[in-house]
Amino acid sequence: MAELFAAVEIISAKRDRNELTDPQIDWVIDAYTRGAVADEQMSALLMAILLNGMNSREISRWTDAMIKSGERMEWSALSRPTVDKHSTGGVGDKITLPLAPLVAACGGAVPQLSGRGLGHTGGTLDKLESIPGWRAALSNDEMLHVLKECGAVICAAGAGLAPADKKLYALRDVTATVEAIPLIASSIMSKKIAEGTSALILDVKTGNGAFMSDPAKARELAKVMVELGTRAGVKTRALVTAMDVPLGLTAGNALEVRESIEVLAGGGPADVVKLTLILAREMLDAAGIKPLMDPADALKNGAAMDSWRQMISLQGGDPDAALPIAKEKMEVKATQDGEMISMDAMKVGVAAWRLGAGRSRQGETVQAGAGIEIHAKPGEQVKAGQIIYTLHTDESPRFERALESLDNSFKVSSTGEKADRLPLILEKIEA
Ligand code: URA
């Protein structure tokens, strides 16, 4: 059958800063997904979009076309409203782990489709896979079963969900076209809308450890995503949050699971607890759920922990199993007394990755025990000789490259200089 358009016409239209029409967008996404548009043609179009942008109609149509490339899940069999959270990713961002069971304990149903880490930010699935027996790959029926039983499921998106995004994302990764707001927004929102959640809270990170280090760009991305979700009938809100320093005190798979369990047990670092509670309250409110209990109480009284244990067990994991520990560790000490004034999140993320916690190519295995434990955060006083961070890895030759990344990333000042941190929440964006 003859094709409706020639890819080259669509590429030249965007190259010359023209708007793409709805039929052009529908065709190019469909034709690329079925292999009728070549990778080199789509690469050229993606670069033209990165350079020349898309207006809100084009972004919305592009997102719809990506949703239509695959299945759309639906959860009408559930008695509770569905609500999800998506983070644009950051260092030590383990919030999904305590948050999903917490919201379940308070009365929501959280169908969380997550990804694996690539580069300096960790992936939720890699973290959970450090729990012995836990399975990320669930069928749609298994997902529904876990959701019905405990109110939260965290698993991998199946091949049927937004297949256009899977191809496009892999291509963007190797053509320097990831960093375009229309492409990021459509990629994230096509998957979240296809996932079938009725409400969604977006955690858009900003600061040097985030995708969008510039707060103005993070705000713009948040606005575009809120508009896309709202147009699709999903009650969507966004918080722009800090990623100038790592969240919590750990970066690395099993290390972050351990910290999440501390939060579920009523303890854990203050920033992780605070952000978890803020996001839980937003999720419950956006979904119109009258909470069964206050989220802070659910962390203290064991209800969130019960949901976590049930969710892990239903996905084949043993919530009582010991978590993996790396074979080697190295402690790094402060060389002078003073205040910790800065801690570069990006450098910490790269160091955790170099220790073996992350991957540089799709499909690589990650080390469950690798990563960094932080013992002093910006704003805290340290003494010369005090351990400020501990590196963990199974392969000691990795220490050197990790230390190179961390060189000058933790700064201690004895001159009265103060830590200058972003506020945890910079802004809230609603439709
Ligand atoms: N996460 C996604 O799913 N897509 C992007 O484009 C960026 C982050």
Side-chain angles (χ1 to χ4, degrees):
M1 206 177 72
E3 295 289 346
L4 217 49
F5 295 97
V8 73
E9 287 166 28
I10 298 179
I11 300 166
S12 56
K14 190 42 77 183
R15 180 199 62 196
D16 297 340
R17 296 198 169 84
N18 294 314
E19 281 185 32
L20 302 183
T21 65
D22 289 351
Q24 281 178 324
I25 291 172
D26 294 349
W27 177 81
V28 82
I29 294 285
D30 173 59
Y32 179 61
T33 310
R34 60 187 160 79
V37 165
D39 278 349
E40 56 270 28
Q41 293 176 310
M42 187 50 97
S43 306
L45 179 59
L46 294 172
M47 188 56 82
I49 292 171
L50 180 134
L51 296 172
N52 295 331
M54 290 205 283
N55 66 22
S56 66
R57 179 198 53 81
E58 289 173 291
I59 301 174
S60 171
R61 193 72 182 200
W62 184 274
T63 308
D64 273 350
M66 283 170 54
I67 296 168
K68 285 187 188 128
S69 71
E71 65 175 321
R72 195 159 171 167
M73 304 179 85
E74 64 91 29
W75 305 108
S76 55
L78 294 172
S79 54
R80 310 159 165 217
T82 48
V83 56
D84 196 7
K85 184 257 340 184
H86 178 84
S87 159
T88 55
V91 178
D93 185 0
K94 71 274 299 168
I95 300 288
T96 293
L97 274 57
L99 181 65
L102 171 60
V103 171
C106 295
V110 186
Q112 164 85 224
L113 296 176
S114 291
R116 288 176 201 284
L118 192 62
H120 77 283
T121 62
T124 298
L125 301 181
D126 294 325
K127 294 171 196 178
L128 286 166
E129 277 175 349
S130 61
I131 301 172
W134 186 86
R135 273 191 309 124
L138 300 186
S139 67
N140 290 358
D141 285 347
E142 283 176 314
M143 256 187 102
L144 182 62
H145 173 69
V146 179
L147 264 179
K148 272 189 176 158
E149 291 293 312
C150 80
V153 64
I154 303 175
C155 62
L161 196 99
D165 180 64
K166 291 200 173 64
K167 272 190 92 172
L168 282 169
Y169 195 79
L171 190 63
R172 287 167 57 211
D173 208 29
V174 293
T175 56
T177 52
V178 170
E179 296 86 353
I181 286 180
L183 299 178
I184 298 173
S186 57
S187 166
I188 292 173
M189 293 307 291
S190 63
K191 287 173 287 197
K192 288 289 151 187
I193 296 166
E195 169 194 282
T197 186
S198 64
L200 175 67
I201 303 301
L202 296 159
D203 180 2
V204 181
K205 299 280 182 211
T206 192
N208 69 12
F211 230 178
M212 292 284 152
S213 50
D214 172 10
K217 286 253 182 260
R219 179 188 311 121
E220 192 186 333
L221 175 65
K223 280 192 171 149
V224 173
M225 292 198 290
V226 167
E227 198 180 309
L228 285 173
T230 307
R231 273 200 201 179
V234 180
K235 290 169 222 139
T236 311
R237 298 178 191 169
L239 297 181
V240 179
T241 71
M243 187 35 69
D244 53 339
V245 300
L247 257 177
L249 298 172
T250 56
N253 300 311
L255 291 171
E256 291 190 47
V257 171
R258 197 165 293 128
E259 189 167 277
S260 303
I261 293 172
E262 284 168 25
V263 173
L264 288 159
D271 57 349
V272 179
V273 175
K274 187 170 171 193
L275 189 55
T276 303
L277 290 174
I278 290 171
L279 289 167
R281 293 192 176 112
E282 285 292 342
M283 287 169 75
L284 293 161
D285 186 57
I289 296 166
K290 192 168 171 301
L292 301 172
M293 63 190 97
D294 181 67
D297 293 338
L299 290 180
K300 296 281 176 218
N301 68 17
M305 179 69 96
D306 289 346
S307 299
W308 160 266
R309 293 176 60 82
Q310 201 183 8
M311 177 182 82
I312 296 300
S313 305
L314 284 163
Q315 293 185 232
D318 176 357
D320 295 315
L323 290 165
I325 295 174
K327 295 194 184 103
E328 311 285 342
K329 72 175 181 178
M330 178 186 279
E331 291 170 342
V332 176
K333 296 177 178 165
T335 51
Q336 58 174 356
D337 291 359
E339 179 172 325
M340 176 76 72
I341 54 162
S342 70
M343 181 180 297
D344 186 310
M346 174 63 91
K347 290 182 178 172
V348 171
V350 170
W353 170 45
R354 289 181 176 176
L355 289 165
R359 56 175 69 77
S360 34
R361 269 179 290 115
Q362 310 262 3
E364 260 178 10
T365 51
V366 296
Q367 291 181 24
I372 301 182
E373 262 179 293
I374 297 162
H375 305 293
K377 295 276 289 255
E380 289 179 24
Q381 295 297 320
V382 300
K383 290 254 170 248
Q386 177 187 331
I387 300 167
I388 49 175
Y389 58 90
T390 307
L391 308 181
H392 298 260
T393 183
D394 290 335
E395 297 157 330
S396 53
R398 289 180 179 265
F399 284 134
E400 195 182 328
R401 295 264 293 136
L403 287 171
E404 266 171 34
S405 165
L406 290 170
D407 198 25
N408 285 327
S409 74
F410 286 61
K411 287 206 183 85
V412 176
S413 168
S414 53
T415 61
E417 215 179 327
K418 291 283 161 208
D420 180 19
R421 289 181 60 170
L422 288 174
L424 189 58
I425 311 291
L426 282 89
E427 198 172 345
K428 176 170 162 177
I429 289 160
E430 294 183 79

